[in-house]
Amino acid sequence: MKIGVYPGSFDPFTSGHMDVLVRASAIFDKLYAAVLINKSKQPFFSTEERICQIEAAVKAENLNNVEVSCFDGLLADYAKRIKASFIVRGLRAMTDFEYEIQIYAMNRKLAPEIETVYFMAKPEYSFLSSSMVKEVGYFGGSIEGLVPKANQNLIAERLLKR
Ligand code: ADP
């Protein structure tokens, strides 16, 4: 069984993240969308909120082989624990590449048996980031299309009420 894990901050979960999740779920038998509990970085959305966002989007798209989870500590350890042989990441611009190659090198050292695979961002999402969604939402701009439809209103309201 081919098991993959797509880890991320997902703060919030965007349409770009969803695009990667949909494409990866077509390739793996089972795919974990794993929210990173990063104690050093204070996220805007709580772990529970981020999990709910992904679960709602996954349900709306009927991605039956996707399980939403969360983890703290090392991704390599978590991947081993859930028996994932693949780590899924997304790539937008060159700036992502520089960051991703560092993570790749470290994960490769910690878990050489786990392969990392990359999905190129869909062109229309290649400039979309969680911070952009937060920035637009804080000031009451429309986030339509930037996040999965199932979460749009909830995210917009939360950002306005910050
Ligand atoms: P992290 O803090 O782990 O980078 P993010 O939530 O920012 O968490 O991103 C998770 C993964 O999704 C990363 O590999 C990132 O490059 C990728 N990603 C982020 N936004 C997009 C997008 N618009 N299209 C494709 N991949 C994306």
Side-chain angles (χ1 to χ4, degrees), residues 6-104:
Y6 179 31
S9 306
F10 306 130
D11 184 39
F13 187 70
T14 71
S15 301
H17 294 135
M18 186 59 183
D19 177 54
V20 170
L21 193 64
V22 169
R23 285 154 68 197
S25 76
I27 291 175
F28 296 104
D29 298 310
K30 175 151 186 131
L31 183 62
Y32 288 85
V35 174
L36 170 68
I37 305 169
N38 189 341
K39 299 212 171 89
S40 64
K41 212 161 90 180
Q42 190 57 48
F44 179 83
F45 293 96
S46 69
T47 306
E48 290 70 30
E49 283 177 299
R50 289 177 285 156
I51 288 176
C52 284
Q53 289 168 15
I54 308 175
E55 275 175 346
V58 161
K59 196 167 164 216
E61 292 296 321
N62 282 316
L63 303 178
N64 299 322
N65 61 342
V66 174
E67 185 169 327
V68 186
S69 65
C70 61
F71 72 103
D72 59 7
L74 291 175
L75 170 63
D77 290 340
Y78 179 66
K80 284 184 206 168
R81 217 159 49 233
I82 58 173
K83 301 195 175 356
S85 320
F86 299 90
I87 294 169
V88 170
R89 297 286 290 173
L91 285 176
R92 286 161 298 183
M94 285 306 284
T95 42
D96 274 347
F97 184 80
E98 296 208 355
Y99 174 60
E100 294 294 335
I101 204 161
Q102 291 176 39
I103 305 182
Y104 165 75

Side-chain angles (χ1 to χ4, degrees), residues 118-133:
Y118 300 89
F119 286 78
M120 296 298 292
K122 234 185 188 174
E124 58 262 49
Y125 299 141
S126 59
F127 294 100
L128 176 56
S129 63
S130 294
S131 24
M132 194 85 86
V133 171

